[in-house]
Amino acid sequence: MLLIECPYCGPRDETEYRHGGQAHVPYPADPEALSDREWAEYLFYRDNPRGMLAERWLHTAGCRRWFNTIRDTETYEISAVYPIGAPRPDTAAEAPPGSAAALSPAHHAKGDPAARAIASSGSHARTATAHTAPASAGSPAGGSAAGDPAAPGESPASHPTSEGDER
Amino acid sequence: MADALPQHPDFLWRNPEPRASYDAVIVGGGGHGLATAYYLAVNHGITNTAVLEKGWLAGGNMARNTAIIRSNYLWDESAAIYEHSLKLWEELPAALDYDFLFSQRGVMNLAHTLGDVREGTRRVGANVLNGVDAEWLDPQQVKELCPIINVADDLRYPVMGATYQPRGGIAKHDHVAWALARQCDAMGVYIIQNCEVEGFLTAGDRVTGVETNRGRIATGTVGMAVAGDSWDLAQSAGIRLPIQSHPLQALVSELFEPVHPTVVMSNHVHVYVSQAHKGELVMGAGVDGYTGFGRRGSFHIIEEQLAAAVELFPIFARAHVLRTWGGIVDVTLDASPIISPTPLDGFYVNAGWGTGGFKGTPASGYTFAHTIATGSPHPLNAPFTLDRFETGHLIDEHGAAGVAH
Ligand SMILES: Cc1cc2nc3c(=O)[nH]c(=O)nc-3n(C[C@H](O)[C@H](O)[C@H](O)COP(=O)(O)OP(=O)(O)OC[C@H]3O[C@@H](n4cnc5c(N)ncnc54)[C@H](O)[C@@H]3O)c2cc1C
Ligand SMILES: [Zn+2]
């Protein structure tokens, strides 16, 4: 059971919350200009790193407000809680938008496979920029730099697995 | 008496050192990787292959699942591939010459609300049209097939009926992996454990090899089947996948005399239960709500599924939880798998089976092997390529097949 600190109500059990998926995925500025690939990226593609992930939570059984956390997806430790609309605390300063680091899927350095990245030329390391990813969608730092989503819960992939389960 | 288990076998495959190159490399020694290597050899004559596994064979979801097998999915595309899988399951004990305790004891999906009843009867109709064995049971018929279930109407969510697939059932998952590994090994496939793939070698838009913790291996063809690790590993090949990894837990009780003759799943109160051959009650429920790789989940998931189980099966009230564990499942937005070529030539992905890929193991291997051997999908997996996220032709199996998948 995670203990999650709502910025408005204080620490509460995980069962009071709903996980809202990756944070900082802005609604496309000009949706009609997107290619099918870019639209798919916005709808269906989200980061899923081992390590630090900026993600949203909804305090459903409390104040019913949204907020963001930085959580380590291996240890489940939450290292930052911050309001919707605020920049991601651990990356905002490090990586200007569009820089290699900002686009890196392996932005989480600690214990990251990037440490095992292949140095030789002609090989893709785990820090490689994705072939198919459009320049900013889906990259956490790129997303936050572009401004926060207009309204949380607006991005359809916010809860891909709410009913997911089974065998 | 519970059934006696077969003798624990001697070593069934070699533990060879990796060679410098192979015609094809399969990453991931779970069920899907092994089945892929098996069908590459049997159906396509490709045996100069290696299965690279970072840990021990079937140490991932393959031997962590609740082993339920069924094919009663709603949509035509799903029914086709899962029914093909079930037919392969029916052949495999003989083909692999291994009794892995495949038991077609039937699978029930309970309905507890009017919505469930409508969904279930609709799905039975769809299944029948697709040649999948399916029946609708009223509560009394549920009780006849599974006498320990409580069908009284004083429950918070009484049993209002169930879909039933008589050919569904369970198998002993670790033995399935061993059976596949033994045959692969006998056909010349290298099964290499403790060999973690750390990245991919490429030349232009082609894959040319894999980098592992045991050195480089050259190959023009890579098939990735790493379940919960799919997003991360594909990313290192520059391929982005629409996958989120979640913990999924399961548990077993101590051993009991046989009391539970079939498999019962309930989406609404959220538990599924069968009794393993050696006597444990095996139970599972939904994924943990957050993404993660911790191979453990939150206690409330276990608490809630046990509450549901005890209400449905009052006889379980005195059973004890012996062990709980978690696996990391790779979930897609439409709860359907991805078996697909990628923009990187020679690099193929098999992922997104999420919470329900054990049943798909044979068809997964069968269609993935075809995709790898020919460079393009088999008709059965053509609807399950990455393209669907762009065309919008999703195969939404959330809820449709009983328990959200
Ligand atoms: C608790 C639980 C219950 C489930 N119940 C059911 C059920 O009842 N019915 C059903 O149909 N499905 C069920 N599933 C889902 C099913 O188990 C999975 O969909 C299926 O096992 C996934 O395919 P796999 O066997 O190949 O995966 P895995 O066995 O997880 O195989 C992937 C392998 O890849 C290896 N790997 C990862 N990264 C690397 C790397 N970099 N290099 C080398 N190797 C690597 C891993 O170590 C692992 O062994 C359940 C899953 C869980 C966790
Ligand atoms: Zn709150």
Side-chain angles (χ1 to χ4, degrees), chain B residues 102-140:
Chain B
F102 176 47
S103 161
Q104 293 178 288
R105 57 182 64 189
V107 173
M108 254 183 228
N109 298 116
L110 301 181
H112 302 275
T113 65
L114 190 56
D116 282 356
V117 171
R118 288 181 176 143
E119 186 281 320
T121 48
R122 174 191 184 201
R123 185 157 45 81
V124 165
N127 289 164
V128 168
L129 289 173
N130 275 319
V132 174
D133 58 319
E135 298 164 25
W136 178 255
L137 306 178
D138 65 28
Q140 217 37 54

mmCIF file of all heavy atoms in Angstrom, chain B residues 102-140:
data_model
loop_
_atom_site.group_PDB
_atom_site.id
_atom_site.type_symbol
_atom_site.label_atom_id
_atom_site.label_comp_id
_atom_site.label_asym_id
_atom_site.label_seq_id
_atom_site.Cartn_x
_atom_site.Cartn_y
_atom_site.Cartn_z
ATOM 1 N N PHE B 102 -2.206 -30.268 -18.879
ATOM 2 C CA PHE B 102 -3.230 -29.441 -19.511
ATOM 3 C C PHE B 102 -4.579 -30.068 -19.190
ATOM 4 O O PHE B 102 -4.839 -31.211 -19.539
ATOM 5 C CB PHE B 102 -2.995 -29.393 -21.022
ATOM 6 C CG PHE B 102 -4.042 -28.644 -21.791
ATOM 7 C CD1 PHE B 102 -4.481 -27.388 -21.365
ATOM 8 C CD2 PHE B 102 -4.582 -29.171 -22.950
ATOM 9 C CE1 PHE B 102 -5.444 -26.690 -22.083
ATOM 10 C CE2 PHE B 102 -5.540 -28.476 -23.679
ATOM 11 C CZ PHE B 102 -5.968 -27.234 -23.243
ATOM 12 N N SER B 103 -5.405 -29.322 -18.500
ATOM 13 C CA SER B 103 -6.656 -29.877 -17.994
ATOM 14 C C SER B 103 -7.827 -29.022 -18.453
ATOM 15 O O SER B 103 -8.008 -27.895 -17.992
ATOM 16 C CB SER B 103 -6.586 -29.912 -16.461
ATOM 17 O OG SER B 103 -7.871 -30.027 -15.911
ATOM 18 N N GLN B 104 -8.616 -29.552 -19.373
ATOM 19 C CA GLN B 104 -9.750 -28.793 -19.915
ATOM 20 C C GLN B 104 -10.960 -28.991 -19.013
ATOM 21 O O GLN B 104 -11.902 -29.687 -19.350
ATOM 22 C CB GLN B 104 -9.997 -29.209 -21.363
ATOM 23 C CG GLN B 104 -8.841 -28.768 -22.255
ATOM 24 C CD GLN B 104 -9.017 -29.193 -23.700
ATOM 25 O OE1 GLN B 104 -8.903 -30.363 -24.038
ATOM 26 N NE2 GLN B 104 -9.297 -28.220 -24.558
ATOM 27 N N ARG B 105 -10.883 -28.331 -17.880
ATOM 28 C CA ARG B 105 -11.920 -28.483 -16.861
ATOM 29 C C ARG B 105 -13.000 -27.410 -16.971
ATOM 30 O O ARG B 105 -13.864 -27.319 -16.118
ATOM 31 C CB ARG B 105 -11.277 -28.434 -15.477
ATOM 32 C CG ARG B 105 -10.491 -27.146 -15.247
ATOM 33 C CD ARG B 105 -9.806 -27.137 -13.885
ATOM 34 N NE ARG B 105 -8.789 -28.199 -13.777
ATOM 35 C CZ ARG B 105 -8.165 -28.511 -12.641
ATOM 36 N NH1 ARG B 105 -8.452 -27.869 -11.533
ATOM 37 N NH2 ARG B 105 -7.249 -29.448 -12.623
ATOM 38 N N GLY B 106 -12.900 -26.574 -17.994
ATOM 39 C CA GLY B 106 -13.908 -25.538 -18.198
ATOM 40 C C GLY B 106 -13.572 -24.243 -17.473
ATOM 41 O O GLY B 106 -12.896 -24.246 -16.448
ATOM 42 N N VAL B 107 -14.006 -23.134 -18.064
ATOM 43 C CA VAL B 107 -13.816 -21.813 -17.455
ATOM 44 C C VAL B 107 -15.152 -21.082 -17.447
ATOM 45 O O VAL B 107 -15.830 -20.987 -18.469
ATOM 46 C CB VAL B 107 -12.778 -20.970 -18.229
ATOM 47 C CG1 VAL B 107 -12.733 -19.546 -17.692
ATOM 48 C CG2 VAL B 107 -11.397 -21.595 -18.165
ATOM 49 N N MET B 108 -15.498 -20.581 -16.281
ATOM 50 C CA MET B 108 -16.729 -19.807 -16.110
ATOM 51 C C MET B 108 -16.395 -18.339 -15.891
ATOM 52 O O MET B 108 -15.500 -18.037 -15.109
ATOM 53 C CB MET B 108 -17.392 -20.248 -14.800
ATOM 54 C CG MET B 108 -18.584 -21.082 -14.934
ATOM 55 S SD MET B 108 -19.167 -21.336 -13.232
ATOM 56 C CE MET B 108 -19.389 -23.082 -13.332
ATOM 57 N N ASN B 109 -17.122 -17.457 -16.525
ATOM 58 C CA ASN B 109 -17.032 -16.025 -16.211
ATOM 59 C C ASN B 109 -18.376 -15.613 -15.625
ATOM 60 O O ASN B 109 -19.392 -15.595 -16.318
ATOM 61 C CB ASN B 109 -16.737 -15.190 -17.456
ATOM 62 C CG ASN B 109 -15.403 -15.541 -18.095
ATOM 63 O OD1 ASN B 109 -15.348 -16.026 -19.225
ATOM 64 N ND2 ASN B 109 -14.326 -15.298 -17.385
ATOM 65 N N LEU B 110 -18.396 -15.295 -14.347
ATOM 66 C CA LEU B 110 -19.657 -15.009 -13.661
ATOM 67 C C LEU B 110 -20.211 -13.639 -14.019
ATOM 68 O O LEU B 110 -19.459 -12.694 -14.269
ATOM 69 C CB LEU B 110 -19.462 -15.047 -12.143
ATOM 70 C CG LEU B 110 -18.951 -16.353 -11.529
ATOM 71 C CD1 LEU B 110 -18.847 -16.182 -10.011
ATOM 72 C CD2 LEU B 110 -19.861 -17.524 -11.881
ATOM 73 N N ALA B 111 -21.529 -13.562 -13.992
ATOM 74 C CA ALA B 111 -22.221 -12.274 -14.166
ATOM 75 C C ALA B 111 -22.921 -11.929 -12.857
ATOM 76 O O ALA B 111 -23.564 -12.783 -12.251
ATOM 77 C CB ALA B 111 -23.239 -12.377 -15.292
ATOM 78 N N HIS B 112 -22.767 -10.692 -12.421
ATOM 79 C CA HIS B 112 -23.366 -10.267 -11.147
ATOM 80 C C HIS B 112 -24.295 -9.071 -11.285
ATOM 81 O O HIS B 112 -24.834 -8.597 -10.301
ATOM 82 C CB HIS B 112 -22.270 -9.876 -10.148
ATOM 83 C CG HIS B 112 -21.290 -10.955 -9.851
ATOM 84 N ND1 HIS B 112 -21.499 -11.912 -8.903
ATOM 85 C CD2 HIS B 112 -20.077 -11.225 -10.391
ATOM 86 C CE1 HIS B 112 -20.445 -12.734 -8.853
ATOM 87 N NE2 HIS B 112 -19.582 -12.331 -9.751
ATOM 88 N N THR B 113 -24.377 -8.527 -12.474
ATOM 89 C CA THR B 113 -25.235 -7.367 -12.701
ATOM 90 C C THR B 113 -25.947 -7.570 -14.039
ATOM 91 O O THR B 113 -25.534 -8.403 -14.841
ATOM 92 C CB THR B 113 -24.422 -6.059 -12.813
ATOM 93 O OG1 THR B 113 -23.602 -6.148 -13.993
ATOM 94 C CG2 THR B 113 -23.536 -5.837 -11.597
ATOM 95 N N LEU B 114 -26.945 -6.766 -14.271
ATOM 96 C CA LEU B 114 -27.636 -6.856 -15.553
ATOM 97 C C LEU B 114 -26.664 -6.554 -16.700
ATOM 98 O O LEU B 114 -26.702 -7.184 -17.762
ATOM 99 C CB LEU B 114 -28.813 -5.882 -15.561
ATOM 100 C CG LEU B 114 -29.765 -6.028 -16.735
ATOM 101 C CD1 LEU B 114 -30.314 -7.439 -16.847
ATOM 102 C CD2 LEU B 114 -30.913 -5.015 -16.596
ATOM 103 N N GLY B 115 -25.770 -5.605 -16.444
ATOM 104 C CA GLY B 115 -24.762 -5.284 -17.461
ATOM 105 C C GLY B 115 -23.877 -6.484 -17.766
ATOM 106 O O GLY B 115 -23.582 -6.781 -18.930
ATOM 107 N N ASP B 116 -23.464 -7.182 -16.711
ATOM 108 C CA ASP B 116 -22.658 -8.395 -16.905
ATOM 109 C C ASP B 116 -23.427 -9.431 -17.718
ATOM 110 O O ASP B 116 -22.864 -10.107 -18.584
ATOM 111 C CB ASP B 116 -22.343 -9.061 -15.552
ATOM 112 C CG ASP B 116 -21.233 -8.374 -14.769
ATOM 113 O OD1 ASP B 116 -20.640 -7.413 -15.289
ATOM 114 O OD2 ASP B 116 -20.971 -8.818 -13.631
ATOM 115 N N VAL B 117 -24.726 -9.570 -17.404
ATOM 116 C CA VAL B 117 -25.538 -10.577 -18.102
ATOM 117 C C VAL B 117 -25.597 -10.248 -19.584
ATOM 118 O O VAL B 117 -25.423 -11.108 -20.451
ATOM 119 C CB VAL B 117 -26.952 -10.654 -17.489
ATOM 120 C CG1 VAL B 117 -27.865 -11.538 -18.342
ATOM 121 C CG2 VAL B 117 -26.891 -11.179 -16.056
ATOM 122 N N ARG B 118 -25.820 -8.987 -19.867
ATOM 123 C CA ARG B 118 -25.907 -8.581 -21.279
ATOM 124 C C ARG B 118 -24.586 -8.790 -21.991
ATOM 125 O O ARG B 118 -24.531 -9.293 -23.109
ATOM 126 C CB ARG B 118 -26.335 -7.115 -21.378
ATOM 127 C CG ARG B 118 -27.780 -6.943 -21.000
ATOM 128 C CD ARG B 118 -28.200 -5.493 -21.136
ATOM 129 N NE ARG B 118 -29.618 -5.364 -20.850
ATOM 130 C CZ ARG B 118 -30.157 -4.323 -20.212
ATOM 131 N NH1 ARG B 118 -29.391 -3.332 -19.806
ATOM 132 N NH2 ARG B 118 -31.445 -4.281 -19.991
ATOM 133 N N GLU B 119 -23.508 -8.384 -21.331
ATOM 134 C CA GLU B 119 -22.181 -8.549 -21.940
ATOM 135 C C GLU B 119 -21.902 -10.038 -22.160
ATOM 136 O O GLU B 119 -21.409 -10.450 -23.211
ATOM 137 C CB GLU B 119 -21.122 -7.905 -21.033
ATOM 138 C CG GLU B 119 -19.711 -7.868 -21.606
ATOM 139 C CD GLU B 119 -18.983 -9.192 -21.491
ATOM 140 O OE1 GLU B 119 -19.106 -9.880 -20.457
ATOM 141 O OE2 GLU B 119 -18.304 -9.575 -22.461
ATOM 142 N N GLY B 120 -22.223 -10.845 -21.153
ATOM 143 C CA GLY B 120 -21.920 -12.279 -21.242
ATOM 144 C C GLY B 120 -22.717 -12.978 -22.326
ATOM 145 O O GLY B 120 -22.165 -13.764 -23.107
ATOM 146 N N THR B 121 -24.007 -12.678 -22.401
ATOM 147 C CA THR B 121 -24.816 -13.347 -23.428
ATOM 148 C C THR B 121 -24.393 -12.871 -24.824
ATOM 149 O O THR B 121 -24.343 -13.649 -25.769
ATOM 150 C CB THR B 121 -26.322 -13.105 -23.207
ATOM 151 O OG1 THR B 121 -26.530 -11.720 -22.977
ATOM 152 C CG2 THR B 121 -26.826 -13.876 -22.002
ATOM 153 N N ARG B 122 -24.046 -11.614 -24.921
ATOM 154 C CA ARG B 122 -23.551 -11.121 -26.209
ATOM 155 C C ARG B 122 -22.277 -11.853 -26.602
ATOM 156 O O ARG B 122 -22.088 -12.262 -27.749
ATOM 157 C CB ARG B 122 -23.256 -9.620 -26.098
ATOM 158 C CG ARG B 122 -22.610 -9.062 -27.338
ATOM 159 C CD ARG B 122 -22.075 -7.655 -27.112
ATOM 160 N NE ARG B 122 -21.541 -7.100 -28.347
ATOM 161 C CZ ARG B 122 -20.673 -6.093 -28.392
ATOM 162 N NH1 ARG B 122 -20.264 -5.515 -27.273
ATOM 163 N NH2 ARG B 122 -20.227 -5.648 -29.538
ATOM 164 N N ARG B 123 -21.400 -12.034 -25.638
ATOM 165 C CA ARG B 123 -20.119 -12.678 -25.940
ATOM 166 C C ARG B 123 -20.323 -14.151 -26.301
ATOM 167 O O ARG B 123 -19.671 -14.670 -27.202
ATOM 168 C CB ARG B 123 -19.152 -12.530 -24.767
ATOM 169 C CG ARG B 123 -17.768 -13.073 -25.043
ATOM 170 C CD ARG B 123 -16.726 -12.433 -24.145
ATOM 171 N NE ARG B 123 -17.186 -12.381 -22.776
ATOM 172 C CZ ARG B 123 -17.122 -13.414 -21.933
ATOM 173 N NH1 ARG B 123 -16.611 -14.560 -22.324
ATOM 174 N NH2 ARG B 123 -17.567 -13.292 -20.701
ATOM 175 N N VAL B 124 -21.239 -14.816 -25.600
ATOM 176 C CA VAL B 124 -21.534 -16.206 -25.955
ATOM 177 C C VAL B 124 -21.995 -16.272 -27.415
ATOM 178 O O VAL B 124 -21.545 -17.120 -28.194
ATOM 179 C CB VAL B 124 -22.592 -16.809 -25.002
ATOM 180 C CG1 VAL B 124 -23.169 -18.106 -25.568
ATOM 181 C CG2 VAL B 124 -21.976 -17.069 -23.632
ATOM 182 N N GLY B 125 -22.868 -15.348 -27.796
ATOM 183 C CA GLY B 125 -23.338 -15.321 -29.186
ATOM 184 C C GLY B 125 -22.192 -15.110 -30.155
ATOM 185 O O GLY B 125 -22.066 -15.819 -31.166
ATOM 186 N N ALA B 126 -21.321 -14.167 -29.843
ATOM 187 C CA ALA B 126 -20.178 -13.891 -30.722
ATOM 188 C C ALA B 126 -19.271 -15.114 -30.797
ATOM 189 O O ALA B 126 -18.776 -15.483 -31.874
ATOM 190 C CB ALA B 126 -19.402 -12.676 -30.209
ATOM 191 N N ASN B 127 -19.050 -15.752 -29.662
ATOM 192 C CA ASN B 127 -18.183 -16.940 -29.635
ATOM 193 C C ASN B 127 -18.745 -18.050 -30.512
ATOM 194 O O ASN B 127 -18.016 -18.677 -31.282
ATOM 195 C CB ASN B 127 -18.032 -17.466 -28.201
ATOM 196 C CG ASN B 127 -17.183 -16.576 -27.301
ATOM 197 O OD1 ASN B 127 -17.209 -16.703 -26.086
ATOM 198 N ND2 ASN B 127 -16.415 -15.666 -27.886
ATOM 199 N N VAL B 128 -20.038 -18.284 -30.371
ATOM 200 C CA VAL B 128 -20.655 -19.366 -31.150
ATOM 201 C C VAL B 128 -20.499 -19.084 -32.646
ATOM 202 O O VAL B 128 -20.136 -19.961 -33.429
ATOM 203 C CB VAL B 128 -22.136 -19.538 -30.741
ATOM 204 C CG1 VAL B 128 -22.868 -20.444 -31.723
ATOM 205 C CG2 VAL B 128 -22.221 -20.105 -29.321
ATOM 206 N N LEU B 129 -20.720 -17.831 -33.027
ATOM 207 C CA LEU B 129 -20.557 -17.480 -34.440
ATOM 208 C C LEU B 129 -19.122 -17.692 -34.910
ATOM 209 O O LEU B 129 -18.872 -17.968 -36.081
ATOM 210 C CB LEU B 129 -20.964 -16.020 -34.678
ATOM 211 C CG LEU B 129 -22.462 -15.737 -34.571
ATOM 212 C CD1 LEU B 129 -22.715 -14.238 -34.649
ATOM 213 C CD2 LEU B 129 -23.237 -16.474 -35.659
ATOM 214 N N ASN B 130 -18.174 -17.564 -33.997
ATOM 215 C CA ASN B 130 -16.769 -17.745 -34.362
ATOM 216 C C ASN B 130 -16.278 -19.172 -34.134
ATOM 217 O O ASN B 130 -15.067 -19.426 -34.186
ATOM 218 C CB ASN B 130 -15.890 -16.759 -33.581
ATOM 219 C CG ASN B 130 -15.817 -15.408 -34.282
ATOM 220 O OD1 ASN B 130 -15.705 -15.357 -35.508
ATOM 221 N ND2 ASN B 130 -15.884 -14.335 -33.523
ATOM 222 N N GLY B 131 -17.186 -20.080 -33.850
ATOM 223 C CA GLY B 131 -16.769 -21.475 -33.688
ATOM 224 C C GLY B 131 -16.066 -21.759 -32.374
ATOM 225 O O GLY B 131 -15.376 -22.760 -32.230
ATOM 226 N N VAL B 132 -16.225 -20.859 -31.406
ATOM 227 C CA VAL B 132 -15.637 -21.061 -30.082
ATOM 228 C C VAL B 132 -16.713 -21.677 -29.189
ATOM 229 O O VAL B 132 -17.843 -21.175 -29.158
ATOM 230 C CB VAL B 132 -15.172 -19.714 -29.484
ATOM 231 C CG1 VAL B 132 -14.704 -19.882 -28.043
ATOM 232 C CG2 VAL B 132 -14.077 -19.103 -30.350
ATOM 233 N N ASP B 133 -16.402 -22.744 -28.483
ATOM 234 C CA ASP B 133 -17.414 -23.373 -27.638
ATOM 235 C C ASP B 133 -17.783 -22.425 -26.498
ATOM 236 O O ASP B 133 -16.920 -21.956 -25.757
ATOM 237 C CB ASP B 133 -16.930 -24.723 -27.091
ATOM 238 C CG ASP B 133 -15.648 -24.618 -26.285
ATOM 239 O OD1 ASP B 133 -14.738 -23.861 -26.704
ATOM 240 O OD2 ASP B 133 -15.558 -25.259 -25.220
ATOM 241 N N ALA B 134 -19.057 -22.130 -26.369
ATOM 242 C CA ALA B 134 -19.494 -21.197 -25.334
ATOM 243 C C ALA B 134 -20.952 -21.474 -25.011
ATOM 244 O O ALA B 134 -21.747 -21.800 -25.894
ATOM 245 C CB ALA B 134 -19.346 -19.758 -25.818
ATOM 246 N N GLU B 135 -21.274 -21.356 -23.731
ATOM 247 C CA GLU B 135 -22.651 -21.566 -23.300
ATOM 248 C C GLU B 135 -22.987 -20.506 -22.261
ATOM 249 O O GLU B 135 -22.103 -20.001 -21.585
ATOM 250 C CB GLU B 135 -22.795 -22.926 -22.585
ATOM 251 C CG GLU B 135 -22.486 -24.119 -23.440
ATOM 252 C CD GLU B 135 -22.260 -25.380 -22.603
ATOM 253 O OE1 GLU B 135 -22.796 -25.442 -21.471
ATOM 254 O OE2 GLU B 135 -21.543 -26.249 -23.078
ATOM 255 N N TRP B 136 -24.276 -20.240 -22.142
ATOM 256 C CA TRP B 136 -24.726 -19.379 -21.059
ATOM 257 C C TRP B 136 -25.335 -20.268 -19.979
ATOM 258 O O TRP B 136 -26.161 -21.131 -20.273
ATOM 259 C CB TRP B 136 -25.751 -18.364 -21.568
ATOM 260 C CG TRP B 136 -26.257 -17.509 -20.446
ATOM 261 C CD1 TRP B 136 -27.470 -17.582 -19.813
ATOM 262 C CD2 TRP B 136 -25.530 -16.476 -19.780
ATOM 263 N NE1 TRP B 136 -27.538 -16.673 -18.804
ATOM 264 C CE2 TRP B 136 -26.364 -15.974 -18.760
ATOM 265 C CE3 TRP B 136 -24.241 -15.928 -19.940
ATOM 266 C CZ2 TRP B 136 -25.955 -14.942 -17.897
ATOM 267 C CZ3 TRP B 136 -23.845 -14.907 -19.096
ATOM 268 C CH2 TRP B 136 -24.688 -14.412 -18.094
ATOM 269 N N LEU B 137 -24.918 -20.087 -18.739
ATOM 270 C CA LEU B 137 -25.429 -20.882 -17.626
ATOM 271 C C LEU B 137 -26.302 -20.018 -16.729
ATOM 272 O O LEU B 137 -25.945 -18.866 -16.448
ATOM 273 C CB LEU B 137 -24.282 -21.418 -16.762
ATOM 274 C CG LEU B 137 -23.166 -22.201 -17.444
ATOM 275 C CD1 LEU B 137 -22.112 -22.595 -16.405
ATOM 276 C CD2 LEU B 137 -23.702 -23.440 -18.147
ATOM 277 N N ASP B 138 -27.417 -20.585 -16.257
ATOM 278 C CA ASP B 138 -28.169 -19.865 -15.221
ATOM 279 C C ASP B 138 -27.568 -20.237 -13.864
ATOM 280 O O ASP B 138 -26.724 -21.129 -13.782
ATOM 281 C CB ASP B 138 -29.667 -20.161 -15.323
ATOM 282 C CG ASP B 138 -30.012 -21.607 -15.033
ATOM 283 O OD1 ASP B 138 -29.269 -22.272 -14.272
ATOM 284 O OD2 ASP B 138 -31.025 -22.089 -15.577
ATOM 285 N N PRO B 139 -27.974 -19.538 -12.798
ATOM 286 C CA PRO B 139 -27.303 -19.773 -11.513
ATOM 287 C C PRO B 139 -27.346 -21.240 -11.067
ATOM 288 O O PRO B 139 -26.388 -21.747 -10.478
ATOM 289 C CB PRO B 139 -28.082 -18.870 -10.542
ATOM 290 C CG PRO B 139 -28.612 -17.772 -11.401
ATOM 291 C CD PRO B 139 -28.910 -18.402 -12.729
ATOM 292 N N GLN B 140 -28.444 -21.924 -11.366
ATOM 293 C CA GLN B 140 -28.534 -23.324 -10.953
ATOM 294 C C GLN B 140 -27.524 -24.189 -11.702
ATOM 295 O O GLN B 140 -26.895 -25.083 -11.129
ATOM 296 C CB GLN B 140 -29.984 -23.821 -11.161
ATOM 297 C CG GLN B 140 -30.470 -24.763 -10.088
ATOM 298 C CD GLN B 140 -29.971 -24.410 -8.673
ATOM 299 O OE1 GLN B 140 -30.156 -23.279 -8.200
ATOM 300 N NE2 GLN B 140 -29.289 -25.342 -8.021
#
